[in-house]
Amino acid sequence: MGRLTHRTGPGWTYFVTTNAYQGVAVFRVAEIAQIFVTKLYKYRQKGNYLLHEFVLMPNHLHLLLTPSSTTTLEKAMNLIKGGSSHEIHRIRKSESPIWQSGFHESRVTSATDYKKKVDYIHFNPVTAHLVGRSEGWPFSSANGKYELDPVPQGLKPVLDASRVVGPKDPTPTTNVRSVGA
């Protein structure tokens, strides 16, 4: 069976999932998880992609990212997985495989879809019974301690004008009568 091909395009935002090698919970070790997060942010800071959300689970990873105009999705994932594997092996003096080959992606096409993916990422550790609240998982964008890139313009929620609260007409003026007039 050949390699999967990925349908990608410039400026697209993706929900990406990839697994640890043979489903081993390698990222249960906090030091290894932190090495990964550091690498994830290193490539973001270099401008290889915009990072919108992420969660690193003990045995898999979910990301919402937009590759830069000079980086394909495949290249971004190669940097993330290859770079983190290399760094983990260097620091931990280990040669054990870290990542399963390949990844699964889906293009995020609407504000509703984006919101669903964000919720899925945030609640993944809760659903797995690792924490009681999504903010409690240390290796997730849900905890608020990681800098993220803004929601892409085309995926921002559209404000419903009928739900806007406030006056539609100018405030009427009233005649103020002076006392004793």
Side-chain angles (χ1 to χ4, degrees):
M1 189 161 138
R3 286 189 120 176
L4 291 174
T5 56
H6 301 279
R7 293 190 60 198
T8 63
W12 290 359
T13 298
Y14 301 94
F15 173 73
V16 182
T17 299
T18 192
N19 296 309
Y21 184 72
Q22 295 184 342
V24 174
V26 64
F27 299 108
R28 188 174 299 278
V29 177
E31 178 190 17
I32 294 174
Q34 190 55 58
I35 293 167
F36 168 80
V37 171
T38 301
K39 273 298 180 185
L40 178 68
Y41 273 86
K42 175 185 176 191
Y43 293 116
R44 174 190 171 262
Q45 290 168 345
K46 285 186 171 189
N48 291 292
Y49 47 81
L50 299 176
L51 181 61
H52 308 293
E53 300 286 343
F54 77 95
V55 63
L56 180 64
M57 299 292 286
N59 64 353
H60 67 279
L61 168 69
H62 297 294
L63 300 164
L64 265 174
L65 63 82
T66 304
S68 72
S69 59
T70 59
T71 306
T72 64
L73 178 61
E74 289 83 359
K75 171 80 175 186
M77 291 307 297
N78 187 46
L79 290 169
I80 292 167
K81 291 171 64 175
S84 63
S85 291
H86 178 77
E87 193 69 3
I88 291 165
H89 291 148
R90 186 183 72 75
I91 292 172
R92 302 275 297 191
K93 310 233 183 302
S94 162
E95 289 300 320
S96 302
I98 304 296
W99 296 104
Q100 197 77 24
S101 66
F103 60 90
H104 301 280
E105 90 287 338
S106 64
R107 182 176 171 210
V108 182
T109 58
S110 69
T112 303
D113 188 28
Y114 187 89
K115 173 77 169 109
K116 285 179 185 176
K117 301 296 195 251
V118 169
D119 289 346
Y120 184 84
I121 287 170
H122 286 186
F123 289 100
N124 209 243
V126 176
T127 304
H129 305 289
L130 298 171
V131 290
R133 295 177 0 153
S134 56
E135 298 85 7
W137 188 245
F139 306 107
S140 168
S141 54
N143 69 26
K145 69 180 184 180
Y146 297 107
E147 183 180 339
L148 298 170
D149 293 301
V151 176
Q153 190 61 38
L155 300 176
K156 290 182 179 178
V158 178
L159 291 177
D160 180 0
S162 67
R163 303 183 103 212
V164 175
V165 178
K168 293 183 181 178
D169 296 319
T171 305
T173 58
T174 57
N175 292 333
V176 179
R177 298 169 74 172
S178 30
V179 178

